[in-house]
Amino acid sequence: MSKDSGTIVFALPGNEALAATLATTLKAPAGELTARRFPDGETYIRFHTPVAGRRVILACSLHHPDDKAMPLLFAASTARELGAASVGLAAPYLGYMRQDKRFNEGEAVTSALFAKILSLHIDWLVTVDPHLHRWHSLDEIYTVPGTVVAAAPLLAGWIRNNVEAPVLIGPDAESEQWVSAVAAIADAPHVVLEKIRRGDRDVSVSIPDPAVLRGRTPVLVDDIISTGRTMAAAAQHVVAQGLKPPVCIGVHAVFSGDAHQALLAAGASLVITTNTIPHPTNSVCVHSAVATAVAALKA
Ligand code: R5P
């Protein structure tokens, strides 16, 4: 390992705003990195700023991880080859967390496999609300230290400023951890719906006790909005009970296919997300919270 010559931040494509916040917060320079595709689809990586002896921080949110993982892994391992003192990853969205079990014989448990590969190339990781369901902590699958930034205080702040008399609703049991944390900080009541998923896009839910929601503004909160079917089923159910059109809040705006339209068609009055993944619904910025967590590691 070379002499430590300070921290330097690099953005993988699309992560420039996060890298700028990291650089400002850490009072570190932002380095120049080219990451592009050759015409044949293979990845080209070049560090234009020297990394020898420096604590390298790579900013790379990992939505559509199949596209982003190769550039990230090449950049991380090249930084090490070039003598970086360490390589850390700030990934507001950590992909491949949902397949956390072999549900059917022969399936890959990709959360564990992805963690294993990534852990080989980085020294630490900071992310926002990873989908920890059957895994209870990142340490169960990542062999490098992982820091989790909670979006709950940011979402609770948004709700307090924008929603009158909110009642928070988690669309399924998995959302309980996020919805209860946001509700506690927002000082609002919450309920969790019962969900049955029959397929990728076939979901139904039910409210255990609709009476607690009367006269309040329903706010659906989940960690991930992917196909949007979980939240759309919840929104439809809320509207069918004669309640107000719900505000829908997701931490991670995965939004596959027509997810956003499906939510609006289901009766959502507003759809709000954080910017862990860029999307027109982004209304809550996590960059400072991520940078503060990285600064704490540095300290
Ligand atoms: C459950 O696993 C998650 O907390 C979300 O409820 C789920 O990922 C949402 O998926 P979709 O938007 O495809 O229904």
Side-chain angles (χ1 to χ4, degrees), residues 104-182:
N104 299 293
E105 199 182 330
E107 283 178 352
V109 184
T110 49
S111 53
L113 297 175
F114 189 67
K116 197 168 166 185
I117 296 166
L118 205 47
S119 294
L120 289 174
H121 299 275
I122 57 173
D123 296 297
W124 54 262
L125 159 76
V126 170
T127 190
V128 179
D129 287 342
H131 186 78
L132 293 168
H133 178 209
R134 289 173 190 85
W135 304 121
H136 299 105
S137 97
L138 288 176
D139 302 347
E140 289 179 50
I141 48 175
Y142 280 82
T143 57
V144 295
T147 300
V148 171
V149 174
L154 302 172
L155 296 179
W158 187 92
I159 292 168
R160 289 178 95 119
N161 291 334
N162 294 282
V163 185
E164 206 176 315
V167 55
L168 275 59
I169 304 174
D172 60 15
E174 288 167 57
S175 66
E176 159 75 25
Q177 56 180 307
W178 292 284
V179 80
S180 60
V182 178

Side-chain angles (χ1 to χ4, degrees), residues 218-240:
V219 180
L220 293 163
V221 180
D222 206 352
D223 64 329
I224 294 173
I225 303 175
S226 178
T227 65
R229 273 15 186 212
T230 299
M231 212 171 253
Q236 253 166 5
H237 194 66
V238 161
V239 171

Side-chain angles (χ1 to χ4, degrees), residues 8-23 28-36 44-49 51 56-61 68 71-72 75-76 88-92 287:
I8 187 162
V9 183
F10 291 93
L12 274 291
N15 295 272
E16 294 75 12
L18 171 61
T21 303
L22 283 163
E32 200 192 332
L33 168 73
T34 295
R36 65 171 175 85
Y44 172 88
I45 293 287
R46 181 177 177 191
F47 284 92
H48 299 276
T49 315
V51 296
V56 168
I57 299 175
L58 300 174
C60 185
S61 206
K68 297 190 169 59
L72 172 63
L89 170 64
H287 292 172

